[in-house]
Amino acid sequence: MRQTNHQVGMLTEADDWRVRDLSVVWHPCTQMREHPDTLPLVPIARGEGAWLIGHDGRRYLDAVSSWWTNLFGHAEPRIAAAIGAQAMQLEQVMLAGFTHAPAVELAERLLAIAPRQSDRAPLAKVFYADNGSAGVEVALKMAFHWFHNRGEHRRTRFIALENGYHGETLGALAVGDIPLYRRVYAPLLAEALFAPSPDAYLARPGESAADCAARAADALAALLERHAGEVCAVIVEPRVQCAGGMRMHHPDYLARVRELCDASGAFLIADEIAVGFGRTGTLFASESSGVMPDLLCLSKGLTGGFLPLAAVLATQAIYDGFLDDSRERAFLHSHSYTGNPLACAAALASLQVFRDDDILTRNRATAAAMTALAEPLSQHRHVADVRQAGMMLAFELTEGGNKATPFPAASRIGLKAYRAALARGVVLRPLGDVLYWMPPYCVDAEQLQLLADVTRAAIDEATA
Ligand code: PMP
């Protein structure tokens, strides 16, 4: 029998990990002063399917897929085995001057499944990096450098969307628009241009999501015109602005962005780091708009949630723009762990699970069950909006359910809901006052029911 509440001196095993952690570890995305009184710190011993299991034996339903990385459940045995086998074979080799089967095979597979557009040459090359932000840096630098190599030295600007998020490194942060992450570092950031978000939550009275998307696209068109010849790329999170509060937009928007990029000569960068790999219903979110980007950024679910890895898929035309006798015209960007064999092996195993388990079909049924369970919650007094894109579903909490009256930030409704849900065994980490469901694809009917019940209890308790 596993001991679940092992005593270490006067402390339980879980308490002991908490104390030791707080004496040495500095956590991400956290005001450390809030630990452990305002914000609980939960030592996790193991994972199993959709569950995270603490050292005290308590189980937590991972409704946010561990920051959107996990696809098929924790410790998925097929991916774990693939990593183990690869580790016994080759754990790492630099990808400059060397290659290995997992990197080649993964590139082949990714290019075969990437979004296509009948009137465009397909994505043709894969550049690896080792986390999402690094993947965004690669795409931004590639776009800029491509124009530089052609002597188009005026093309130095990026257009990003208001309320967008692309990561925390300085380049990625420069094209992000979430004040909480950006504001302090603003003096360090390259100046990007921001276009209005197509976010359907911002629709004016009488406007449909499609109208709202059209209005945002018109504004982007005007911005591109004002900066004609200056923009190297437009970067977009297709369908869902995730860190921006799971704000969703109509697929028409990306189709218009594609046209506008073509007309202005700028590249389209699709950041599918969060929405890729089946989250929105299709394998890639760009597919729902019938769009192929020039640069596609992938990470998070790429390895099924096991290991950090990013892949940036590029067109042949972009690749060709770097071929030359000079090293300076080459794309020299490098990370020590670029294309790590273990991570590539995990990604290959993850793509195999998609096929073997017919995940996209299964997800359609799960998404429909999520719709049905969320419906009664849309009637809740403090729920202003329930929105869904496939396996992502979000609840916007406001005072009285009125869009015009968000809760005052100081009331920390989201944090209260988080604590209430955690106490009931569900991880519902909010984005401000937005609670969302983004569970691993193995989530079953019973777990979804628990999720719905706990969401209601958490909203009730937080807004009481
Ligand atoms: N782009 C998007 C759309 C993201 O959601 C994230 C992470 N939340 C990133 C980029 C950055 O990825 P990472 O955290 O791996 O750096």
Side-chain angles (χ1 to χ4, degrees):
M1 264 294 278
R2 274 189 82 253
Q3 234 174 338
T4 52
N5 215 13
H6 179 59
Q7 298 286 316
V8 180
M10 294 299 287
L11 299 174
T12 65
E13 191 183 347
D15 286 336
D16 184 55
W17 283 120
R18 234 173 252 124
V19 170
R20 286 172 60 185
D21 174 287
L22 290 175
S23 70
V24 291
V25 180
W26 193 343
H27 289 261
C29 210
T30 301
Q31 169 48 265
M32 291 303 294
R33 199 173 213 182
E34 294 185 347
H35 274 323
D37 298 332
T38 309
L39 190 63
L41 178 65
V42 188
I44 294 299
R46 62 198 181 91
E48 185 184 289
W51 298 103
L52 292 166
I53 302 162
H55 284 272
D56 53 5
R58 291 200 56 189
R59 297 164 78 84
Y60 303 89
L61 187 70
D62 187 359
V64 300
S65 294
S66 290
W67 265 344
W68 324 334
T69 57
N70 188 281
L71 293 188
F72 316 114
H74 290 281
E76 210 291 330
R78 289 166 286 184
I79 301 176
I83 295 169
Q86 184 59 45
M88 300 295 281
Q89 193 77 33
L90 174 70
E91 80 303 333
Q92 165 69 357
V93 62
M94 60 185 165
L95 206 62
F98 295 88
T99 192
H100 50 81
V104 176
E105 285 173 12
L106 179 59
E108 289 170 349
R109 286 290 310 140
L110 289 173
L111 294 171
I113 60 176
R116 282 170 189 263
Q117 219 178 307
S118 56
D119 54 340
R120 314 182 82 83
L123 293 165
K125 292 286 187 284
V126 176
F127 192 98
Y128 291 111
D130 51 14
N131 64 76
S133 305
V136 168
E137 301 286 339
V138 165
L140 297 174
K141 285 175 70 180
M142 255 181 200
F144 165 80
H145 197 164
W146 190 86
F147 285 112
H148 181 87
N149 280 352
R150 281 172 42 120
E152 291 195 44
H153 300 297
R154 278 183 66 232
R155 289 215 189 240
T156 58
R157 317 288 309 259
F158 294 102
I159 294 183
L161 299 189
E162 289 173 2
N163 195 44
Y165 178 92
H166 301 284
E168 309 270 344
T169 53
L170 293 177
L173 209 51
V175 289
D177 183 44
I178 314 260
L180 181 64
Y181 307 127
R182 178 192 166 91
R183 203 163 25 215
V184 183
Y185 305 103
L188 306 180
L189 304 179
E191 214 177 301
L193 300 164
F194 287 93
S197 170
D199 178 2
Y201 188 76
L202 304 178
R204 294 172 182 160
E207 246 184 6
S208 66
D211 296 336
C212 190
R215 178 161 54 81
D218 290 343
L220 173 63
L223 189 62
L224 278 163
E225 209 168 288
R226 263 204 309 286
H227 294 276
E230 297 173 19
V231 178
C232 21
V234 177
I235 182 165
V236 174
E237 292 165 88
R239 286 301 296 284
V240 188
Q241 293 189 305
C242 297
M246 297 294 165
R247 294 294 184 82
M248 301 179 185
H249 59 260
H250 195 278
D252 281 0
Y253 182 71
L254 195 67
R256 277 288 302 284
V257 177
R258 177 71 277 179
E259 288 169 14
L260 294 171
C261 283
D262 287 343
S264 70
F267 289 127
L268 169 57
I269 303 174
D271 176 352
E272 294 224 18
I273 287 163
V275 293
F277 299 105
R279 289 290 181 197
T280 67
T282 44
L283 191 58
F284 298 107
S286 302
E287 288 170 42
S288 64
S289 307
V291 160
M292 190 199 94
D294 302 293
L295 292 157
L296 174 66
C297 301
L298 303 173
S299 188
K300 290 195 187 269
L302 173 59
T303 60
F306 272 69
L307 286 167
L309 179 69
V312 179
L313 279 56
T315 59
Q316 186 68 40
I318 292 179
Y319 177 82
D320 288 344
F322 291 84
L323 298 179
D324 192 79
D325 292 335
S326 135
R327 279 196 92 203
E328 244 183 52
R329 291 167 78 99
F331 193 64
L332 298 182
H333 187 101
S334 56
H335 296 288
S336 312
Y337 282 97
T338 297
N340 172 256
L342 302 179
C344 291
L348 282 164
S350 172
L351 293 176
Q352 190 62 43
V353 173
F354 266 103
R355 282 177 289 178
D356 290 348
D357 294 1
D358 196 7
I359 293 292
L360 294 181
T361 304
R362 182 197 153 95
N363 283 1
R364 274 195 284 280
T366 309
M370 285 163 57
T371 312
L373 285 164
E375 207 286 322
L377 280 163
S378 66
Q379 311 301 321
H380 191 286
R381 201 163 91 71
H382 293 297
V383 173
D385 190 36
V386 177
R387 45 184 179 263
Q388 183 176 12
M391 293 292 292
M392 312 172 72
L393 192 148
F395 304 91
E396 184 100 22
L397 308 185
T398 67
E399 181 74 64
N402 186 335
K403 284 190 182 182
T405 51
F407 285 108
S411 60
R412 306 206 65 182
I413 297 296
L415 174 68
K416 287 176 184 159
Y418 172 73
R419 291 174 52 137
L422 199 65
R424 290 167 175 82
V426 174
V427 183
L428 265 184
R429 192 184 162 95
L431 295 156
D433 293 342
V434 175
L435 296 181
Y436 62 92
W437 299 347
M438 199 160 159
Y441 302 157
C442 62
V443 71
D444 65 23
E446 200 180 323
Q447 292 163 345
L448 284 175
Q449 185 64 56
L450 172 73
L451 181 53
D453 294 345
V454 168
T455 302
R456 176 177 291 278
I459 297 174
D460 283 344
E461 190 174 313
T463 59

